[in-house]
Amino acid sequence: MARYEVIGGTPLNGTVTISGAKNAAVAILPAALLVDGVCRIENVPDISDVRILLSILEGMGAKITKEDCGTVIIDSTDVHCTNPDAELVKKMRASYYLMGVLLGRFGKAHVALPGGCNFASRPIDQHIKGFAALGADVEETDDYVELNPGPDGLQGNRISLDVVSVGATVNIMLAATLLPGQTVIENAAKEPHIVDLANFLNTMGARISGAGTDTVKIKGVEQLQGGTYAIIPDQIEAGTYLAAAAATGGNVLVKNVIPKHMECITSKLEEMGAQIINYDDAIRIRCDGRMQHTTVKTRPYPGFPTDMQAQICVCMVLASGVSRLTESVYETRFFGYCSELESMGADIQINGKTAIVTGTDKLYGATVTARDLRAGAALVIAGLAAQGTTFVKNIHYVERGYERLIEKLTALGAQIRRIED
Ligand code: EPU
């Protein structure tokens, strides 16, 4: 077990460089199994979810070489396994992408149900609906999903998702890329990582159009060939550093970002009083004085991301006036961190899908527990802004998704260290 010790009260100052996007990496790395040849994937974040995923792929027969600066080379020529290691699969959420990949490459899969951050009930019925529409015979138990070709074989189809789901959109894209015929996903998710996956697959020879809109079309191809691809910067990691700069009253240049992906976040921070300057691939945030209250409702992209709910909540906790934060993707997400923030002096009333946050000008150090990745990041931000010392426990959640967090924050002047218990 390890925890962070955060000594708060220092405004963040300096430059931070954002890593490759976790949620793009966890889709693109398994997608390399669809490729007949060698993929060179750059800007892969070194985080625990990626390390687990690479172990799973290796166990399935992929040859993996890691180079410096986040480059991973994957040769999946010898992959033969359709039954990835269940214990590893259960350690993370995005391992469910192996279902789509294996269905697409081998026409069958036996994959344990995924684990990962458990902040809400996270059904996969839309993934299953997609696989079935593509012609798979699906057996789902409490432990695993088994996919086999149905009586009419596997082929493209039109699928309208009942809810906008990142995971289902990705999984259907993965499954359909090598199937005969055309697949159309309606009511698809539009997140930047969906576009990134489509760009990766198209670079390797796929024929995917419409990614980033609510209709994605996949014309099946017989084969993908190897190539080189660089993963986009992480929207949520960048948003987390922007929120940390705002909460501590800092002045930070956040480099290696796509400002367009950040608009939903920067516009709210501006509304709260932060000064934002956009450059081609960087954003400067400066925050003098106390922020003001605001209203945020999380929505699928291009709306305000649910994965920034907890971090913006810390900004609201420290702002003047009463803010309203409404969650429309995962209703129970507040329970991962609000009581912890309250133990640091926050005033948050949860009323169904909405948190009413009454601002305070001071938070106080406390011992708090991370219950999921973004909740953990928010507690670190609260610790950086608080008076005194905060200990954040359960940091394995945070390490799922933030590369070199301590190093990056320390370079910005934060007093934070990892303590191994
Ligand atoms: N949903 C269903 N049925 C499904 C799939 C989803 O009802 O079959 C519902 C969910 O319950 C939720 C909504 O649809 O209410 C959206 O879920 P989605 O499928 O989009 O979420 P996900 O693919 O499981 C990804 C990210 C999450 C992020 C969500 C929403 C990855 C690996 N994970 O999860 O990221 O919160 O999209 O944007 O891409 C994180 O990075 O901390 C994280 C949790």
Side-chain angles (χ1 to χ4, degrees):
M1 295 293 275
R3 62 199 158 119
Y4 294 142
E5 179 194 67
V6 190
I7 301 172
T10 312
L12 296 186
N13 253 293
T15 300
V16 62
T17 301
I18 298 307
S19 303
K22 167 180 94 81
N23 289 343
V26 295
I28 288 173
L29 294 170
L33 262 49
L34 294 171
V35 174
D36 239 349
V38 179
C39 293
R40 184 185 167 84
I41 306 170
E42 298 169 352
N43 210 25
V44 178
D46 185 17
I47 50 178
S48 67
D49 265 12
V50 162
R51 288 192 287 270
I52 295 168
L53 190 50
L54 291 175
S55 300
I56 298 175
L57 300 184
E58 227 161 16
M60 295 169 73
K63 287 198 193 72
I64 297 189
T65 316
K66 286 189 197 171
E67 289 185 351
D68 288 345
C69 301
T71 296
V72 173
I73 297 166
I74 304 183
D75 178 353
S76 22
T77 321
D78 291 337
V79 172
H80 40 75
C81 165
T82 56
N83 185 357
D85 183 314
E87 286 317 306
L88 290 175
V89 164
K90 287 181 196 163
K91 286 191 172 171
M92 61 180 293
R93 188 79 199 155
S95 51
Y96 55 25
Y97 293 148
L98 292 163
M99 296 176 194
V101 164
L102 291 171
L103 186 67
R105 174 153 175 190
F106 297 111
K108 60 181 187 165
H110 180 105
V111 181
L113 288 175
C117 287
N118 221 358
F119 46 73
S121 129
R122 299 179 77 184
I124 59 165
D125 56 297
Q126 298 302 302
H127 306 229
I128 300 295
K129 170 179 161 170
F131 299 145
L134 295 175
D137 180 25
V138 183
E139 184 192 335
E140 198 184 355
T141 73
D142 288 345
D143 282 333
Y144 62 84
V145 170
E146 179 150 334
L147 305 171
N148 284 295
D152 299 326
L154 297 167
Q155 62 210 300
N157 201 350
R158 182 172 286 271
I159 299 147
S160 179
L161 297 179
D162 303 329
V163 288
V164 179
S165 160
V166 171
T169 305
V170 167
N171 238 337
I172 297 167
M173 287 164 68
L174 294 169
T177 293
L178 294 176
L179 292 189
Q182 174 167 278
T183 296
V184 179
I185 310 172
E186 286 163 350
N187 200 25
K190 297 181 271 205
E191 267 66 5
H193 32 288
I194 305 276
V195 180
D196 209 32
L197 173 66
N199 288 341
F200 166 78
L201 289 168
N202 286 342
T203 303
M204 307 299 153
R207 294 177 65 201
I208 301 174
S209 58
T213 75
D214 54 14
T215 305
V216 179
K217 290 188 181 150
I218 305 125
K219 289 190 175 140
V221 295
E222 278 185 10
Q223 206 182 25
L224 300 180
Q225 65 282 333
T228 297
Y229 189 79
I231 290 175
I232 52 166
D234 196 306
Q235 178 206 28
I236 305 300
E237 188 198 12
T240 301
Y241 283 100
L242 291 172
T248 59
N251 180 350
V252 173
L253 182 68
V254 183
K255 280 174 51 173
N256 189 37
V257 297
I258 299 175
K260 177 84 194 147
H261 294 168
M262 304 305 303
E263 275 169 8
C264 40
I265 300 165
T266 49
S267 62
K268 277 294 155 192
L269 289 168
E270 261 180 325
E271 226 174 87
M272 296 182 82
Q275 286 171 263
I276 300 281
I277 306 173
N278 286 306
Y279 301 97
D280 285 349
D281 61 355
I283 296 175
R284 177 172 294 284
I285 180 163
R286 191 178 299 136
C287 215
D288 305 319
R290 195 158 171 208
M291 282 179 289
Q292 289 137 38
H293 61 94
T294 191
T295 300
V296 168
K297 184 168 188 179
T298 66
R299 291 187 188 279
Y301 190 81
F304 189 93
T306 174
D307 292 342
M308 279 297 299
Q309 183 219 94
Q311 302 89 315
I312 200 77
C313 186
V314 179
C315 295
M316 292 174 161
V317 159
L318 289 160
S320 64
V322 179
S323 297
R324 290 175 70 86
L325 176 56
T326 301
E327 173 59 46
S328 55
V329 183
Y330 291 114
E331 216 174 300
T332 49
R333 213 164 184 172
F334 293 124
F335 299 108
Y337 66 94
C338 286
S339 56
E340 304 301 294
L341 289 180
E342 281 173 315
S343 74
M344 299 176 74
D347 180 349
I348 306 172
Q349 303 295 322
I350 298 169
N351 187 357
K353 292 181 175 185
T354 300
I356 317 278
V357 184
T358 305
T360 169
D361 58 355
K362 277 191 195 68
L363 286 177
Y364 299 94
T367 296
V368 289
T369 303
R371 299 215 171 78
D372 67 70
L373 164 60
R374 308 303 172 187
L379 295 175
V380 170
I381 297 174
L384 293 170
Q387 287 189 348
T389 302
T390 296
F391 293 99
V392 182
K393 301 199 300 188
N394 268 3
I395 60 170
H396 61 278
Y397 282 119
V398 183
E399 292 174 348
R400 271 191 182 155
Y402 290 90
E403 184 177 51
R404 294 183 286 106
L405 179 74
I406 299 295
E407 198 183 305
K408 290 185 186 187
L409 284 173
T410 305
L412 294 173
Q415 293 189 65
I416 179 167
R417 65 185 182 118
R418 187 180 195 279
I419 301 173
E420 208 59 66
D421 286 324

